[in-house]
Amino acid sequence: MRAPVNCRGPVGLTRRNMLQIGAIGALDLTLPRLLAAGERASPGGAAGADSCILVFLNGGPSHLDTWDMKPDLPKEMRSEFRPVATSVPGVQVCEHLPRLSRLTSHCTLVRSVHHDQVAHAPAVYTALTGVSSNVRAGIVGAKPTDHPAIGSVVGHHRPPAANVVPYALLPHLTAEGAGGPPQPGFLGGWLGKTHDPFLVLKGGPDPDGFDLPALTPGAGVTAARVRDRAQLLAGVNRADAVRAAPADDLERLQARACDLLASPAAQRAFRIDRESPKVRDAYGRNIYGQSLLLARRLVEAGTRLACVSWAPDANATWDTHGDNFGKLKNQLLPPFDLGFSALLSDLTDRGLLDRTLVVVMGEIGRTPKINGGGGRDHWEFCYSVLFAGGGTKGGFVYGASDKRGAYPSECPVTAADVVATIYHAMGIDPALELRDRLGRPIPLVPQGTPIRGVFA
């Protein structure tokens, strides 16, 4: 049994906790299985980025009310919001993104993304893997046979140099509807559970508190005592004649797990309470603002990909079938504008943006026509994606939608192309063939091509 630890409090380990973390009786440590994600690494070419922060606006934000506004549309389609000028001449965004409007010179907007999946789960899967799910509708949960997530692949092929987690997901493993199964597209799939993300989940009584299900709390345990446990594990491994992996491999992974648990640098990455109140306020005192701040701390410590999934379930936030304008104005855009702008400024001030790819996207767009409930419905035929840093251009718009924002009119790109672009920025060839657990070769992004025009 694993107990949560609050990121904002001390992190320590008792001897009993070490047993709980790894289920020593089964010789199957959670953290070693996680760390195995980096054992068979290949850099995959020159990278413009060392890390990636993926801000996933789960549910599908309306492109027509954010970064691709069409003020001349008829009333039944036109946004209630005004477009405002940005720091890039000729480029406008929504009036409720005032901070981002001043930072658009750091960003590339791609306004011509599309795919063929209309329902949330299949669309999320396609957006996060670049592979079609071949499912049109229904409640679809994550499966072991799924194509691996971007973070799983990046952590596998570009393992961190430091003792940190390769791929983190926060603050939700988003469900496909309230009480539903986890959405596909976030996990390791057929690469194996060792490539699943390290979960940093919303928890505790505070609105911006986190739990780390893979760690447990304790008091007064030193690094030496953790390494004592590693020696015990090594002895058990050598005494056991029947196991799934060679003893030296298992010992190495367990040693790395203990190093991570005992590493001050690794523990500090999660200590969001060490940030000044001013910095925490700048990101916003809400779970998503603090998740963006924690994502910055993780990539600064060496994590390759931190994904912020902005919804506990598919219908909870950006899925604005009803009261689209009220939800965007009062609940969604203000915390996004505050937190994301703080992230861009923070990365820039720390000299991290050039080597950190930042991506903002959802899985779908919204319909040009406003429905009877004042909302916009699913629209997979055109939506927008934002890139910043990591070798991408600043102050640039790639592609365009037609006069209604319904279909791409210039430089159409697919969701697979977006995923291929992320891999390209991270120095991984999108044409790479991966091997599943049966040794079969499977193309990484079989239908995707990097959007080379977004790179400087």
Side-chain angles (χ1 to χ4, degrees):
M1 179 178 180
R2 301 177 214 151
V5 60
N6 193 294
C7 274
R8 295 163 299 124
V11 176
L13 297 166
T14 66
R15 290 179 181 271
R16 182 181 180 188
N17 293 157
M18 278 299 294
L19 295 175
Q20 290 173 330
I21 290 169
I24 186 174
L27 290 173
D28 186 21
L29 282 176
T30 298
L31 283 173
R33 293 172 67 237
L34 170 72
L35 292 169
E39 287 298 295
R40 293 175 297 280
S42 58
D50 293 320
S51 56
C52 175
I53 296 175
L54 173 56
V55 185
F56 194 67
L57 305 183
N58 206 308
S62 172
H63 57 297
L64 292 162
D65 303 301
T66 50
W67 12 71
D68 191 12
M69 303 190 71
K70 307 288 184 179
D72 296 327
L73 285 174
K75 183 178 180 181
E76 64 271 17
M77 296 181 179
R78 186 171 61 246
S79 177
E80 293 182 5
F81 306 148
R82 294 183 300 108
V84 295
T86 69
S87 56
V88 180
V91 178
Q92 296 178 320
V93 296
C94 168
E95 62 180 312
H96 298 298
L97 297 171
R99 293 173 178 83
L100 180 59
S101 71
R102 297 190 287 270
L103 297 172
T104 307
S105 56
H106 293 295
C107 304
T108 283
L109 283 170
V110 181
R111 289 175 166 167
S112 54
V113 189
H114 70 284
H115 57 70
D116 62 357
Q117 303 290 312
V118 66
H120 287 297
V124 168
Y125 182 77
T126 296
L128 293 178
T129 66
V131 175
S132 176
S133 70
N134 298 315
V135 175
R136 294 300 297 171
I139 302 298
V140 180
K143 303 185 298 297
T145 54
D146 286 344
H147 205 73
I150 300 169
S152 301
V153 174
V154 171
H156 177 54
H157 285 277
R158 293 197 65 195
N163 269 330
V164 294
V165 297
Y167 167 33
L169 174 62
L170 60 163
H172 307 290
L173 177 54
T174 303
E176 181 56 18
Q183 287 184 326
F186 293 101
L187 304 180
W190 46 256
L191 272 184
K193 292 191 70 61
T194 54
H195 304 280
D196 284 351
F198 187 95
L199 300 179
V200 185
L201 303 180
K202 182 183 184 301
D206 296 333
D208 58 359
F210 296 97
D211 287 340
L212 304 181
L215 298 178
T216 57
V221 176
T222 66
R225 293 177 67 187
V226 171
R227 292 192 175 95
D228 285 345
R229 181 59 59 188
Q231 293 176 4
L232 172 60
L233 289 171
V236 174
N237 292 338
R238 287 189 293 271
D240 184 18
V242 180
R243 45 186 169 264
D248 55 347
D249 290 344
L250 188 56
E251 283 186 35
R252 184 172 68 254
L253 294 176
Q254 289 171 343
R256 289 185 62 197
C258 290
D259 286 344
L260 175 61
L261 293 169
S263 165
Q267 300 297 341
R268 279 197 300 270
F270 292 104
R271 290 292 303 272
I272 197 171
D273 62 312
R274 295 191 176 185
E275 294 287 345
S276 71
K278 181 179 179 180
V279 169
R280 296 191 69 181
D281 290 343
Y283 277 82
R285 292 284 186 159
N286 60 79
I287 190 61
Y288 299 110
Q290 298 304 294
S291 292
L292 292 170
L293 174 55
L294 185 52
R296 188 271 289 165
R297 289 182 63 85
L298 289 170
V299 299
E300 190 172 29
T303 291
R304 290 301 188 193
L305 190 141
C307 177
V308 177
S309 186
W310 200 296
D313 67 76
N315 312 121
T317 52
W318 299 91
D319 190 31
T320 53
H321 291 282
D323 191 25
N324 173 72
F325 303 106
K327 289 178 180 176
L328 289 172
K329 177 181 178 179
N330 300 315
Q331 301 171 26
L332 297 171
L333 292 181
F336 170 78
D337 186 52
L338 182 66
F340 183 69
S341 299
L343 175 67
L344 283 185
S345 298
D346 209 358
L347 290 170
T348 302
D349 293 344
R350 292 169 178 270
L352 297 173
L353 188 60
D354 287 346
R355 302 295 297 178
T356 303
L357 177 69
V358 184
V359 186
V360 180
M361 65 177 179
E363 72 271 29
I364 46 175
R366 312 304 294 190
T367 53
K369 187 173 182 180
I370 301 166
N371 64 32
R376 297 189 192 268
D377 299 317
H378 297 185
W379 190 257
E380 69 274 28
F381 303 106
C382 190
Y383 63 101
S384 300
V385 169
L386 181 150
F387 292 103
T392 61
K393 296 177 181 177
F396 183 66
V397 175
Y398 183 93
S401 62
D402 63 18
K403 64 181 182 180
R404 296 191 307 157
Y407 300 96
S409 61
E410 295 178 16
C411 304
V413 297
T414 66
D417 296 333
V418 172
V419 174
T421 302
I422 296 172
Y423 285 133
H424 179 75
M426 294 296 295
I428 298 173
D429 185 356
L432 177 73
E433 283 192 343
L434 300 178
R435 298 277 171 172
D436 67 9
R437 285 169 289 179
L438 298 178
R440 296 173 297 187
I442 300 178
L444 181 54
V445 193
Q447 304 298 323
T449 302
I451 310 169
R452 297 186 184 274
V454 305
F455 293 98

